[in-house]
Amino acid sequence: MNNIAEENENQNMNQELEIQNEVKESEIELAGEETNEVKESEIELTGEETMEELLDIYESSLSKFEEGQVVIGTVISVGRETVLVDVGYKSEGQISIHEFIGEDGNVNVKIGDEFEVMIEVWDEEEETVLLSRDKAKKVKVWDAIKDIYDDDGTIEGVITSRVKGGFSVDIGLQAFLPGSQADLRPIRNMDEMVGKTYTFKILKYNKKRNNIVLSRRVLLETEREKMRSATLSAIENDKVMDGIVKNITEYGVFVDLGGVDGLLHITDISWGRVKHPSELFSVGDHIKVKILSFDFEKERVSLGMKQLTPDPWTTAAEKYPIDSKINGRVVSLTDYGAFIELEEGVEGLIHVSEMSWTRKIRHPSQMVAVGEQVEAVVLDLKPENRRISLGIKQTVENPWEVISQKYPVGTIIEGKIKNITEFGLFIGIDDDIDGLVHISDISWTKRIKHPSEIYKKNDTIQAVVLDIDKANERFSLGIKQTQVDPWETVAERYDVGKEISGVITNLTDFGVFVELEEGIEGLVHVSEISKENIKSPKEHYQIGETITAKVMNINSDERRIGLSIKRLNEEEDDNRYLEEIAKSSKPAASAFGEMLRNNIQEKLEAEKKENE
């Protein structure tokens, strides 16, 4: 009986325990479902609860958290190292003060601020809760990235720095932008993009690896394709369009017209001279151009800019008539002349021969320099050939027109020797006019091999104006003409038949040259040396030797004096021969014969008187 009673009692106890467990389990489930509502619901207290029951009621009113969960928190205290945040737990959560320090170094948080935080550490036993606002933001960003990627949307970000292979972009998280995805074409200066905000497409992302890859190029290509279709439908010849300089080469500029590129050739940039397109354009410049031609099949567009203004050569004849004076800028120098820009697109040439009346210009740089403003005269104009001939020297009076009046032939002038050549001396006159003294006009008598034997540069000399040839711009001078020609009176000083002495200056096979006075020489021909047959005078005479000879003939025009040595001993024979001719002469048959006989007799009588 006792055993049966014990068994019944045990069964009753077990049933009671099972009921209690079920109640507790249901209470726990109810508490779990209503955890978030406990705070707001009113708990009715009878005043008979024990301390343990009150603690259980308080704990059941607190929120239950998990690490990694994002909740709303309210700042209740700001300290030096941490910020205390109430998240509805019995202990306040802590956030490092560093998460609230801005770029200016100030703490940007105050009591009462509310924001989302992430539970980093939740230790219920130690009642410790560590929070992070930054990580909460990142969780939200990752969620947004997922949504954008799934919806094929776009996201804005700031390029913060250059990294290997591309850029680092801040989109709330650090993302990577490959260099090839930054623009439609290679970027020359990547530093220019740093610090700028752009819109990007998310190519791929991996939350576990914290990896996000962006593209800007995909968006640009889509936009370009839309623009390209619109541009192609709008392009037509002679249409003026806006464009952006896309690339610059030595032969022209590539212009983006809106998804379609056109070439602005260097020859179509300006009516004027363009050395290199980079002088006028930079990549990114907005310009207006005119459609010159368009190939729809190849999608090639030829552009022009100068065609937006009239061709200046169409009015050049009216603006620059022949003989008019103009002012222009030197834009280029060549070996043969200087190009002068009269206006944009109109250039004239000053040939080196038209730069000075008197100077011999070897290169235009002797007269003008690039960039210099000059005055010139229009000499010729051919608009159909786009040519204008100019002259500088025509802006002043031609000195050759007045030089003959200033220095008539026969005038004695004085000047310095500017140059010495083998054929003469150049004497500076004035106005850059040089006169030439030919070597033959230096001395009446001296044999000069080179003018430098007598003169040197910068010597001041006097000369006589011999001739002025304005047509050929030649000014002839003579030095010897300042003195009397000694040959004009040589016949007065040396009578025919007179014995004279002189010094041998030269010996040749045909005779001996004898200096009678400075610059005056006579020649003893080899046949007049001796009655004997002499093959060479060098066998009998030496240079510098003094000899005596008889004057045989004088020719002042040809500057010759004939001498004879052998006739010195024939004087008496000649007299006897003349006497015989006079005595044996019959009455003259003519007046000339009578005159000849009288002359012979007069000469014989004169010689007799001299001998007496």
Side-chain angles (χ1 to χ4, degrees):
M1 292 290 292
N2 292 332
N3 291 333
I4 293 173
E6 288 178 0
E7 289 178 2
N8 292 332
E9 186 176 359
N10 289 333
Q11 288 178 357
N12 293 331
M13 290 179 65
N14 290 333
Q15 290 177 357
E16 185 176 356
L17 289 172
E18 288 177 1
I19 293 171
Q20 290 178 355
N21 289 334
E22 289 177 359
V23 171
K24 286 183 180 179
E25 288 176 0
S26 62
E27 289 177 350
I28 291 172
E29 290 176 0
L30 180 61
E33 292 175 357
E34 298 178 354
T35 297
N36 295 329
E37 300 177 359
V38 171
K39 290 183 180 180
E40 299 177 0
S41 64
E42 295 182 359
I43 301 175
E44 296 182 1
L45 301 177
T46 63
E48 297 180 358
E49 291 81 359
T50 64
M51 181 60 70
E52 185 177 353
E53 289 175 336
L54 291 173
L55 290 173
D56 289 340
I57 292 172
Y58 171 72
E59 289 182 359
S60 65
S61 66
L62 296 176
S63 300
K64 304 298 180 180
F65 301 109
E66 294 181 359
E67 292 182 359
Q69 184 179 352
V70 176
V71 298
I72 300 295
T74 304
V75 177
I76 61 174
S77 175
V78 179
R80 290 186 177 180
E81 301 293 333
T82 59
V83 175
L84 296 182
V85 179
D86 180 12
V87 291
Y89 187 62
K90 57 186 174 182
S91 295
E92 291 81 8
Q94 299 179 16
I95 302 178
S96 173
I97 194 70
H98 295 292
E99 292 193 18
F100 301 96
I101 298 177
E103 295 181 356
D104 56 1
N106 297 324
V107 177
N108 301 320
V109 66
K110 62 183 183 296
I111 295 173
D113 286 351
E114 287 188 355
F115 41 75
E116 291 183 332
V117 293
M118 189 183 81
I119 309 297
E120 282 195 283
V121 178
W122 178 36
D123 190 338
E124 188 174 4
E125 293 181 1
E126 296 292 334
E127 296 184 352
T128 302
V129 181
L130 297 182
L131 309 173
S132 173
R133 186 178 68 162
D134 291 345
K135 290 185 179 180
K137 290 180 180 179
K138 290 182 179 180
V139 170
K140 290 294 183 181
V141 173
W142 278 112
D143 292 341
I145 288 173
K146 180 180 181 303
D147 293 339
I148 292 171
Y149 182 81
D150 292 341
D151 296 339
D152 197 25
T154 61
I155 188 170
E156 274 196 353
V158 179
I159 295 179
T160 57
S161 63
R162 288 181 56 185
V163 296
K164 184 178 180 181
F167 301 92
S168 179
V169 183
D170 182 6
I171 57 172
L173 295 172
Q174 288 300 313
F176 176 63
L177 173 65
S180 62
Q181 296 296 320
D183 208 328
L184 291 171
R185 53 188 177 277
I187 302 170
R188 294 183 178 179
N189 188 357
M190 299 180 71
D191 292 330
E192 290 182 351
M193 298 188 71
V194 176
K196 294 183 179 179
T197 302
Y198 298 98
T199 301
F200 303 97
K201 192 89 169 178
I202 300 174
L203 293 184
K204 61 181 180 178
Y205 73 95
N206 189 316
K207 187 175 180 180
K208 291 183 179 179
R209 296 182 179 180
N210 198 32
N211 182 29
I212 306 169
V213 180
L214 305 176
S215 173
R216 179 169 171 259
R217 179 173 182 169
V218 172
L219 299 176
L220 295 176
E221 287 177 344
T222 302
E223 182 181 354
R224 183 179 64 176
E225 187 59 31
K226 293 179 181 178
M227 295 176 60
R228 178 175 171 277
S229 299
T231 302
L232 287 174
S233 62
I235 285 181
E236 58 185 28
N237 290 341
D238 297 328
K239 184 175 182 178
V240 177
M241 300 185 68
D242 293 321
I244 300 174
V245 175
K246 185 176 180 180
N247 192 23
I248 299 174
T249 67
E250 62 180 6
Y251 57 84
V253 176
F254 285 94
V255 182
D256 184 359
L257 302 175
V260 177
D261 292 345
L263 174 62
L264 174 61
H265 196 270
I266 188 171
T267 58
D268 290 311
I269 291 176
S270 171
W271 292 112
R273 182 187 297 263
V274 179
K275 291 183 179 179
H276 197 282
S278 59
E279 297 176 350
L280 302 175
F281 305 104
S282 298
V283 173
D285 285 352
H286 290 258
I287 62 174
K288 281 187 179 296
V289 291
K290 189 174 185 179
I291 308 297
L292 302 182
S293 63
F294 176 52
D295 187 334
F296 283 91
E297 294 181 359
K298 297 181 180 180
E299 293 187 3
R300 291 182 181 177
V301 185
S302 296
L303 307 175
M305 180 175 281
K306 71 180 184 182
Q307 288 79 4
L308 297 174
T309 58
D311 184 353
W313 281 97
T314 57
T315 57
E318 300 173 5
K319 291 183 179 179
Y320 312 109
I322 294 175
D323 293 332
S324 63
K325 286 187 177 181
I326 58 90
N327 285 284
R329 180 175 62 91
V330 180
V331 293
S332 178
L333 299 179
T334 66
D335 291 338
Y336 54 84
F339 286 93
I340 312 299
E341 184 182 58
L342 310 185
E343 63 176 279
E344 184 178 349
V346 178
E347 292 182 7
L349 172 65
I350 302 176
H351 195 269
V352 287
S353 62
E354 302 298 340
M355 290 187 172
S356 175
W357 291 113
T358 54
R359 293 175 59 187
K360 292 182 178 179
I361 308 300
R362 296 182 179 179
H363 195 274
S365 58
Q366 296 176 247
M367 294 291 292
V368 295
V370 173
E372 181 182 351
Q373 290 287 334
V374 298
E375 183 182 49
V377 172
V378 178
L379 305 180
D380 190 25
L381 175 65
K382 295 180 179 178
E384 64 279 8
N385 296 326
R386 309 176 83 84
R387 291 181 182 177
I388 296 181
S389 297
L390 305 173
I392 294 179
K393 68 183 183 182
Q394 288 80 5
T395 60
V396 297
E397 188 177 19
N398 184 357
W400 287 100
E401 295 295 332
V402 296
I403 197 72
S404 59
Q405 299 175 7
K406 190 174 181 180
Y407 302 107
V409 173
T411 304
I412 296 178
I413 64 165
E414 186 174 86
K416 287 187 177 182
I417 298 175
K418 296 179 67 175
N419 193 21
I420 299 176
T421 68
E422 62 181 4
F423 57 83
L425 307 169
F426 285 95
I427 314 298
I429 311 301
D430 56 15
D431 294 327
D432 292 326
I433 292 180
D434 294 341
L436 172 64
V437 179
H438 194 268
I439 189 171
S440 62
D441 289 312
I442 292 178
S443 175
W444 290 113
T445 57
K446 291 182 180 179
R447 294 182 179 179
I448 302 171
K449 294 182 179 179
H450 198 283
S452 59
E453 297 174 3
I454 305 174
Y455 302 101
K456 61 181 182 293
K457 197 173 181 179
N458 293 324
D459 282 353
T460 300
I461 63 172
Q462 287 187 337
V464 174
V465 178
L466 302 180
D467 183 47
I468 297 177
D469 185 350
K470 292 188 293 183
N472 296 311
E473 297 184 353
R474 293 177 181 175
F475 198 114
S476 299
L477 302 173
I479 295 175
K480 70 182 184 181
Q481 286 81 0
T482 59
Q483 301 173 349
V484 178
D485 184 358
W487 280 96
E488 292 181 359
T489 58
V490 71
E492 299 175 3
R493 297 192 300 276
Y494 303 103
D495 295 333
V496 175
K498 183 177 180 180
E499 292 184 10
I500 58 172
S501 297
V503 178
I504 297 175
T505 58
N506 192 18
L507 295 172
T508 66
D509 291 339
F510 58 84
V512 179
F513 285 93
V514 181
E515 185 179 51
L516 307 181
E517 59 182 75
E518 185 178 0
I520 302 296
E521 290 182 341
L523 172 65
V524 180
H525 193 268
V526 65
S527 62
E528 295 295 331
I529 293 176
S530 175
K531 294 180 179 180
E532 298 177 359
N533 186 17
I534 295 177
K535 294 182 179 180
S536 175
K538 296 179 181 179
E539 299 176 357
H540 301 276
Y541 300 99
Q542 294 181 351
I543 294 176
E545 180 181 351
T546 301
I547 63 172
T548 302
K550 180 182 286 189
V551 178
M552 296 300 295
N553 56 71
I554 297 174
N555 189 330
S556 298
D557 295 334
E558 296 182 2
R559 299 177 179 272
R560 294 178 180 177
I561 299 178
L563 303 176
S564 176
I565 296 175
K566 74 178 183 179
R567 291 183 182 273
L568 288 173
N569 299 324
E570 294 179 350
E571 182 177 354
E572 293 180 358
D573 297 338
D574 290 342
N575 289 338
R576 286 195 295 270
Y577 176 71
L578 290 174
E579 287 178 355
E580 290 178 359
I581 291 175
K583 290 179 180 180
S584 60
S585 295
K586 297 180 179 180
S590 65
F592 176 77
E594 183 65 25
M595 185 182 297
L596 178 62
R597 187 175 66 177
N598 292 337
N599 287 340
I600 293 173
Q601 289 178 348
E602 289 176 0
K603 184 176 181 181
L604 291 172
E605 291 177 359
E607 289 180 356
K608 288 181 180 179
K609 290 181 180 179
E610 287 180 3
N611 293 331
E612 292 176 356

